[in-house]
Each structure stands twice: as C-alpha cells, then as structure tokens.
Amino acid sequence: MRSGPISRAELARATGLSKQTASEVVRDLEANGWIRERGQTQGLVGRSATTYELDAGRAYVLGVDLGGTKVHVALADLSGAIAAEEVDATDRRGGHHVIEQIAALTRSAAARAGADPRRIRYGAMGSPGVFQPGSGRIIIAPNIPDLDQIDVVKALRVSLGFGVAVENDVNLAAVGERWRGCCREAATFAFVALGTGIGMGLMADGKLIRGARGAAGEIAYLPLGGDPFDSRGYRLGTLENAIGSVAIMERYRGLGGQGAEDVRGVFDRLVDGDAAARTTMDEVARVLAQALMAIRAILDPELVVLGGSIGARPELVERVRALLNGFMAEPLRVEASPLGGRAALMGAVGTALSTLYDSVFGMTDLPGEQARTAGVETAA
Amino acid sequence: MRSGPISRAELARATGLSKQTASEVVRDLEANGWIRERGQTQGLVGRSATTYELDAGRAYVLGVDLGGTKVHVALADLSGAIAAEEVDATDRRGGHHVIEQIAALTRSAAARAGADPRRIRYGAMGSPGVFQPGSGRIIIAPNIPDLDQIDVVKALRVSLGFGVAVENDVNLAAVGERWRGCCREAATFAFVALGTGIGMGLMADGKLIRGARGAAGEIAYLPLGGDPFDSRGYRLGTLENAIGSVAIMERYRGLGGQGAEDVRGVFDRLVDGDAAARTTMDEVARVLAQALMAIRAILDPELVVLGGSIGARPELVERVRALLNGFMAEPLRVEASPLGGRAALMGAVGTALSTLYDSVFGMTDLPGEQARTAGVETAA
DNA sequence: GTCCTTTGTAAAGGAGCCTGACGAATGTAG
DNA sequence: CTACATTCGTCAGGCTCCTTTACAAAGGAC
C-alpha cells in the first residue's frame, strides 16, 4: 500500500471500488478525523482533484520488545512513523513490576512524542518464551521472574488501557523483517536468531507459522551438531548445545583460544587473525549451515535472515553463504538482518498497526517505505 | 460439516444465517437440483419440519493418483462417497498417452458407477515431482517420459472436459489424511512418505505449505544420516542416501544380510528374526527419528503420519516411536498412515470435492464421516 | 380443547456495492 | 479566445445479500 496524498478518484482506481463508493469512504473517514484535506492536484489535464492525507496524529500504536535484560518500547503514529522510543533495563523483580514498567515507559514515550496517551489504540509485545493464547501467560520465559504466573495480556490491558497482543519475540522479528527489513517481497521465509539462545520465526505465504503448541521455530532442538539421542543434551536442545553462546565459548577455549570474555570478544579476536577464533567460527558456521539446509529442505523459504547478536555478524553470514554456495545447485539466499536488534520491536509495531488499520480501514496491508524516515531520532 | 437430512430451520441454526435466508438458500438449491425433499421430522414438539438431503448423483468429482508405475482414479459423488475406482499400469510411452489413459480410466469409472460423465465437474491429480502452476507442467517427474514437456492442466482439461488441479502427490496425501485419515482433528501436521523416494506433505493451520518454489517438504535433502557437505551425496539428497529404499538394501547387504530382494523382503526377514534385518531397521529408524525431530523443531506439528510402502510399516513406526519416547519430555505423536497407498488418491478426491462445494455452496468445508461407508466396495 | 413450541413465509428495510448521467473545473488545439 | 476533450466529484437509482418483525400453519403437552 502506498500512502501520501491521494484523491477520491485515485483511491477508487487503486482499490477497485467505484468512484461513488470511494467517495463515500473518504467522506466517512474525514468525518471521523482519520484523514484530512491536503491540497489540490495541478498541471494535469482535466479538473483538479482534492487530495487527502492521513491525520497521522489521530491515533498511535505501541510496540514492546521485552527481553531478559532490556525493555524496548516504541510508539508509532497512524502513518507508521516511529514517534518515540524508550529503553530501560528490565525490572528484576519481574511479574507485575515489569508490567508497570512497560506502562511507565509508554507514558514517557507518549510525553516525548507529544501524543495524548489516550490516542494509543493497540499494542503488540514480543517476548522470549512460548505464549499461551488461552491463559494469556508466557511460559518458559527465562530471566524474568514470575512472568509465567500472571495473565500478561489482561495485566497489560488494565495498566495501559488498550489491548496488547503478545507474541514470541522471534516471530515478531520475522514480521518486522517483512514489514521494514529485507523480506518485503518474500512471502515465505525464515528469521533465524542466534544470540544468547537460538530461535526462529517462520512465515509461509505471508502468515506466521506457530505450530500446534506455539513451539514452531524452536530450532534449539534441531538434531544437529551433536548426538540428538543424548538426553542430557536434549534438555537445552542439541543445536543450542552446539552453537549457542555458551557452546561457542567452550569451543573457543577448547581450541586453546584466549583473551575473549564473550562471543563478541571472539569476533574481535577473529579480526586480529586469531586461529582459535577462526576455527571456532568455521565450526559454528558449519553447523549453522546444516540447520539452514534442514530449514530449506522442510520449508523451501525464499530466503533466510540471520539475526541476533551473533547471527547477524557478517563474519558468520559470509561463512555460511560460502558453505551453502559450495555445492548446492540453487543456493539458498541468506541475508544478515538489516533491522538487527530492532527487528522484534519493529514487528511489534507493525503488528499493532496492522490491527489498527484493520479496525479503521477494514484492511490489513501496512503502509510502506515512506513512513520510515521520520521520527526515529526521537529514540532514547 | 455434517450431512444427512436437514430442515430449513436447522440449516439456519447451523450456519448462523437467518431463517429467511436459509429458506431462500434451500429453495434455490432445490430449484437447481442440488438437494431434494427427504421427509418430515416427527415426535418433536412444535410443527414438523420438511427435511432435505443432497442429491448425491447430481455431480461427481474425479481424483487421480499418477505414479511412475500405476495410475489410480476415483470418482466420488456429491456426498463424498466413492462411486468407482480404477487402476492401471502407467502407460510407459508417457506424455499425452498418460493423459489419454487417465481419460479412458475416467470414462470406465463413470460407466461402472452408472454416472453420466458430463456430471463430473472438477478433478484433482497428485503426481510426484514439483508442479509449476505457471506453466501447468510437472517438473522432475521421474519414471514418466515427456510429462515435463506438456501443459498437464490444459491437456487434462481438453481430454476430460473439466478442470483438474495438479498437486504434488505427497501434499495430497496430507490432505487425504486430514479429510479421511488420522489427522481430522489436526490443523498442523506432517505426512512423511517413505517408499521408493522420500517426501513430506505439510499442513499448517489447515493449509498446505508449498514453499517459495513448491519444494517444501523435500526432506530427501535433510542434512541427516550422512555427510551433508558431500556434494555427490547431495544430488539425490543426504537423507535419501541414508534411508531411501536403495540405501536400505545397501545397509542390509553391508551387514551381511541375505535372502531379501527388496525392502519388503527385509521386513519379511525381520519377522524371521534375521539379525541383519533387525540392525538395518534399527539404523533406519534412528535416522528417521532424527528427521522427525528436525520436523518437530521447525514446525511443531500435532502429529506426524508415516506413509509410503516403507514408512507405514508397523515395525518401523514402533521403532521410531520408541526412540522418540525414550527421552523427549513431551514425545511427538507418530502414527502409521491409515489410508496407506490411497492417501494421495483420497486427497485428490477431497481437493476436487472442496472445489465443487465451494462453487455450489460457497463454502469450503468437506462433508465428514458418514459419507465414508457407502460405495467403496465398488472399487476395482 | 387450549396453550406452547416450532416451522416456514411475507413484508419491509438496511448495508454495501454498482452503473449511468451530469455539472464543474481544468488543460489543449485551433 | 473559444470550443473541446478530459477528469473530478455528486446525484439518483438500483442490485444483492442479508436482517428483523410479524404471522399463519402445524405439531405436542396438559
């Protein structure tokens, strides 16, 4: 969908509705304040047309990315432009304290954007762990105490005053990449996050795949990179045991590597030409490439986006690409996440905006490109 | 959707339409001959109702399962009951000869069912290989010469006089299992076919997953059971090289096994207590279990159905179940395909019927259970 | 026999869309 | 500068699909 000034007649042509109906729609939207007159067309043959534009400040949506260490909040206006962002360290007391923290950050973002908080209509929140739509709880959410004890959806609705959809953060990252990342043209793709943990968000034919119990994309459990029948290893996941951040450090130290405190450090040593770092990354890439081969064999995605603090590193992406290109007849397209750590946040905003659009315009398409430029510098 | 006699008022309640509208729908359908009066309700309080039933013989649909060695054709009436089936060895001349063969089998099935061939409204055909919707061609279709040279959809339409949807046979098998097999309650599941080749049909949230290029479910390429970076092995697929029928025989012979001509023979020897046969199947099950673990990690299906001449064997299913139950906290449900070799055929019939229902009733649900009893004994 | 329930039809109307006609406003050709 | 072609937006009317309300007909329950 394109945005920007549009006339009644143009709208009719774009939507396929009759001129008459389009005109009624415009009248209606204007009466409700969703759009307003912008100007006139000029220079073309025929009568000049009155153009309309979205009243971007008429409504806002909230996106939340709740992590074990940080809470990230973004407010976007009706046009999809980010009006304000806030970050904070996640409240360690967990549970309701985190809910209250999100509410406070939202108020602060609204103030910074100069937006009436009552104009925020919908929200979406990404969180690690598996979300149970039935109970509204997030189960297996690590690092945040008591979050699995409360109905998060209900609590957020009470604290914020509007509905908030909850979704796995990696799934939202996939949504984000499709909205404003590198998957705008792709209907079927996978977002593989490699950071502290390993996860994947899947989109097939433009829809998120959640699986029967909401555990689709839990590729930590892929039987690759180790003995899948080792029941101790299975608890964390065979793949995670092989290329999770802990495993990477073990590999590095096992190869005699020194001078790196964490995975970021290993990447730093890689630049210095450290042999252990190189071998470590070669090994990790080799296992990761196998994971992508498995994803491809099962799902046939148009591309796979690598994200997360480790996955998005070009040193790793290059290695994986080289391995896959080496012998596949039609190599799998692999990209580093352009949105990086903001993918889930963008996905949350996009999801909330999509809900808003659906309720206002009766459509689900999101506005594209143009909205992307403004307002991001407001970010905390 | 239930079928069987239904009154106007009942229809209104079932569909949520108003009594008035339901009445109009009934009037319309009766005028067009799709339904007819059946009788009256009795014994209940209130005025007795006139009931209606489908005129099952008003229209038929065709299902085709085209394999490298056999062509299977089934005719079903409007109620979904199989009216006639035909089988034949696939015409080895391939191409248009196969199309003509399908047309001949269809005529013969119609004659056997006592149905006017002009009443066949839609068809669906399953075939190995990847179907390209754009060109109507089936590419990489093994064992049938020249089939990738012709527009199969067009040719079938000309020969048969009605439209035929073409789909990968394993995908249709998944549809079949959902319609009349063991996945009627499952919205997200996988059908894994293990026979001459290896393939998988995927359903997520009740919809087939085809992938970006129609190659979803090509699990022959799963990087399991061998070195995935061996480019020779990759051509056929790493997994297929490990547990395809050829690989199974190699394993058996490599273990000193004797007296089995084919995989069926190995299963026979298993019953006799042959140690090589047992080890072979243990190994195959071990690799297959890993494949299911990968499928589970990526898709989180409600269950996995094992089909194909090898996959549906209880000796194998039991072994796989035992391996998965051994250490998984929440074991994956694994079932042997109850439809067996007829899964794809049933899926084809179901798909065609679904199209017919859509066009007649403006709905996509298929009739359930009750239709299953009648007419199958007419099968060839 | 009366009452209550249920079926099915009739009448009227609304929501959402469309078509066709037409006046108003504009650029362009002569 | 004028006549014309083009485009915008509205008006009037109508179609389709569905709903609500009212009511007559047909049955069981007491």
Side-chain angles (χ1 to χ4, degrees):
Chain A
M1 187 188 124
R2 58 166 290 268
S3 202
I6 190 171
S7 74
R8 292 156 136 90
E10 249 176 300
L11 181 66
R13 283 190 296 266
T15 57
L17 292 170
S18 70
K19 246 196 318 180
Q20 176 64 8
T21 306
S23 221
E24 272 164 32
V25 168
V26 167
R27 203 178 353 265
D28 216 60
L29 289 174
E30 194 181 12
N32 285 297
W34 294 108
I35 59 174
R36 63 180 164 221
E37 257 187 72
R38 162 64 178 267
Q40 303 278 126
T41 58
Q42 296 182 348
L44 294 110
V45 93
R47 172 175 165 181
S48 64
T50 316
T51 56
Y52 297 82
E53 63 176 0
L54 278 181
D55 184 351
R58 171 72 165 76
Y60 292 86
V61 295
L62 176 73
V64 183
D65 182 8
L66 174 61
T69 56
K70 281 184 186 171
V71 201
H72 218 114
V73 153
L75 214 58
D77 67 24
L78 191 53
S79 77
I82 305 296
E85 284 190 35
E86 299 282 336
V87 205
D88 200 356
T90 308
D91 193 319
R92 295 191 177 188
R93 291 168 296 172
H96 281 287
H97 297 284
V98 171
I99 303 291
E100 194 36 59
Q101 183 180 29
I102 291 169
L105 287 170
T106 302
R107 282 190 295 271
S108 138
R112 189 192 293 265
D116 183 343
R118 285 168 303 182
R119 292 208 163 170
I120 311 176
R121 300 307 208 72
Y122 295 101
M125 181 173 94
S127 147
V130 171
F131 173 68
Q132 291 188 319
S135 66
R137 283 158 206 258
I138 299 168
I139 55 174
I140 331 175
N143 302 330
I144 305 177
D146 296 336
L147 203 65
D148 52 353
Q149 301 299 313
I150 60 177
D151 183 333
V152 176
V153 170
K154 200 170 171 186
L156 284 171
R157 172 183 293 280
V158 171
S159 287
L160 291 168
F162 51 86
V164 178
V166 177
E167 178 68 71
N168 178 278
D169 58 348
V170 190
N171 284 354
L172 282 189
V175 174
E177 291 292 346
R178 186 161 147 81
W179 183 33
R180 289 186 171 180
C182 61
C183 307
R184 296 177 214 192
E185 310 300 320
T188 301
F189 68 92
F191 178 91
V192 171
L194 195 56
T196 319
I198 301 182
M200 174 173 66
L202 284 179
M203 214 135 194
D205 300 320
K207 296 187 66 174
L208 271 183
I209 301 295
R210 295 190 176 85
R213 302 162 309 158
E218 294 290 347
I219 53 172
Y221 296 92
L222 270 179
L224 292 169
D227 176 11
F229 295 104
D230 177 346
S231 61
R232 286 164 314 168
Y234 190 76
R235 207 158 307 154
L236 247 177
T238 309
L239 186 68
E240 179 141 355
N241 275 323
I243 59 170
S245 56
V246 175
I248 293 177
M249 290 316 294
E250 275 170 14
R251 268 182 207 274
Y252 181 65
R253 296 200 183 102
L255 287 162
Q258 287 177 334
E261 287 288 299
D262 51 16
V263 179
R264 172 188 292 262
V266 177
F267 278 108
D268 290 344
R269 301 289 291 125
L270 195 59
V271 179
D272 306 340
D274 180 307
R278 200 172 56 234
T279 308
T280 301
M281 285 306 151
D282 286 347
E283 287 178 7
V284 170
R286 204 172 170 83
V287 176
L288 185 54
Q290 287 178 57
L292 300 199
M293 287 165 77
I295 293 163
R296 184 209 200 149
I298 290 176
L299 273 171
D300 183 30
E302 220 165 306
L303 79 165
V304 175
V305 185
L306 290 180
S309 56
I310 302 171
R313 299 288 300 225
E315 300 92 330
L316 192 58
V317 176
E318 281 307 328
R319 279 176 166 73
V320 170
R321 268 199 202 121
L323 282 167
L324 293 179
N325 285 341
F327 65 101
M328 272 184 171
E330 211 176 328
L332 177 60
R333 200 177 131 205
V334 178
E335 305 277 350
S337 164
L339 297 180
R342 288 163 48 87
L345 185 65
M346 287 302 103
V349 171
T351 301
L353 196 58
S354 184
T355 309
L356 177 62
Y357 271 52
D358 210 16
S359 78
V360 175
F361 306 113
M363 61 161 98
T364 322
D365 288 351
L366 288 173
E369 206 59 17
Q370 87 300 329
R372 208 176 163 205
T373 50
V376 181
E377 56 283 352
T378 333
Chain B
M1 186 189 125
R2 60 166 290 269
S3 202
I6 191 170
S7 75
R8 290 156 136 92
E10 249 176 299
L11 181 66
R13 282 191 297 266
T15 57
L17 293 169
S18 70
K19 247 195 317 178
Q20 177 65 4
T21 306
S23 221
E24 271 163 33
V25 167
V26 166
R27 204 179 351 265
D28 216 60
L29 289 173
E30 193 181 13
N32 285 297
W34 294 108
I35 59 173
R36 63 180 163 217
E37 256 188 73
R38 164 62 178 268
Q40 303 277 125
T41 58
Q42 296 182 349
L44 295 110
V45 96
R47 174 175 163 181
S48 63
T50 315
T51 56
Y52 297 81
E53 64 177 359
L54 280 181
D55 184 350
R58 171 70 166 76
Y60 294 85
V61 294
L62 176 72
V64 182
D65 182 9
L66 174 60
T69 55
K70 280 184 187 172
V71 201
H72 219 114
V73 152
L75 216 57
D77 67 24
L78 190 53
S79 77
I82 305 295
E85 283 190 36
E86 299 281 336
V87 204
D88 200 356
T90 308
D91 193 319
R92 295 191 177 187
R93 291 167 296 172
H96 281 287
H97 297 284
V98 171
I99 304 292
E100 193 36 58
Q101 182 180 27
I102 291 169
L105 287 171
T106 302
R107 282 190 295 271
S108 138
R112 191 191 293 264
D116 183 341
R118 286 169 302 182
R119 293 207 161 169
I120 310 175
R121 298 309 207 73
Y122 294 102
M125 181 172 92
S127 146
V130 172
F131 174 66
Q132 292 188 319
S135 66
R137 283 158 207 259
I138 300 168
I139 56 174
I140 332 175
N143 302 330
I144 306 178
D146 297 335
L147 204 64
D148 52 353
Q149 301 300 312
I150 59 177
D151 184 333
V152 175
V153 170
K154 200 170 169 187
L156 284 171
R157 173 183 292 281
V158 170
S159 286
L160 290 168
F162 51 86
V164 178
V166 177
E167 178 67 71
N168 178 278
D169 58 347
V170 189
N171 285 354
L172 283 190
V175 174
E177 290 292 347
R178 185 160 147 84
W179 183 34
R180 290 186 171 179
C182 60
C183 307
R184 295 179 214 190
E185 310 301 320
T188 301
F189 69 92
F191 179 92
V192 172
L194 195 56
T196 318
I198 301 181
M200 173 172 68
L202 284 178
M203 215 134 192
D205 301 319
K207 294 187 66 173
L208 271 183
I209 301 294
R210 295 190 176 84
R213 303 162 308 157
E218 294 290 345
I219 52 171
Y221 296 93
L222 271 179
L224 293 170
D227 175 12
F229 295 104
D230 176 346
S231 61
R232 286 164 313 168
Y234 189 76
R235 207 157 306 155
L236 247 177
T238 308
L239 186 67
E240 178 140 355
N241 275 323
I243 57 169
S245 55
V246 174
I248 292 177
M249 290 315 293
E250 275 169 13
R251 269 181 207 275
Y252 181 65
R253 296 201 183 102
L255 287 162
Q258 287 179 332
E261 287 288 298
D262 50 16
V263 179
R264 173 189 291 263
V266 177
F267 278 109
D268 289 344
R269 301 288 290 126
L270 195 60
V271 180
D272 306 342
D274 179 307
R278 199 171 58 234
T279 308
T280 301
M281 284 307 150
D282 286 347
E283 286 177 8
V284 170
R286 205 172 170 83
V287 177
L288 185 55
Q290 287 178 56
L292 300 200
M293 287 164 76
I295 293 162
R296 186 212 196 144
I298 291 176
L299 274 170
D300 183 30
E302 221 166 304
L303 80 164
V304 175
V305 185
L306 292 179
S309 57
I310 300 171
R313 297 287 300 225
E315 300 93 329
L316 192 58
V317 176
E318 280 309 327
R319 278 175 166 76
V320 170
R321 266 199 203 122
L323 281 167
L324 294 178
N325 285 341
F327 64 101
M328 273 185 171
E330 210 176 328
L332 176 62
R333 201 177 131 206
V334 178
E335 304 278 349
S337 164
L339 297 180
R342 287 163 50 87
L345 185 65
M346 288 301 102
V349 170
T351 301
L353 197 59
S354 185
T355 310
L356 177 62
Y357 270 53
D358 209 15
S359 77
V360 175
F361 306 114
M363 61 162 98
T364 322
D365 289 348
L366 288 173
E369 205 59 16
Q370 86 300 327
R372 208 175 161 210
T373 49
V376 181
E377 55 283 351
T378 333

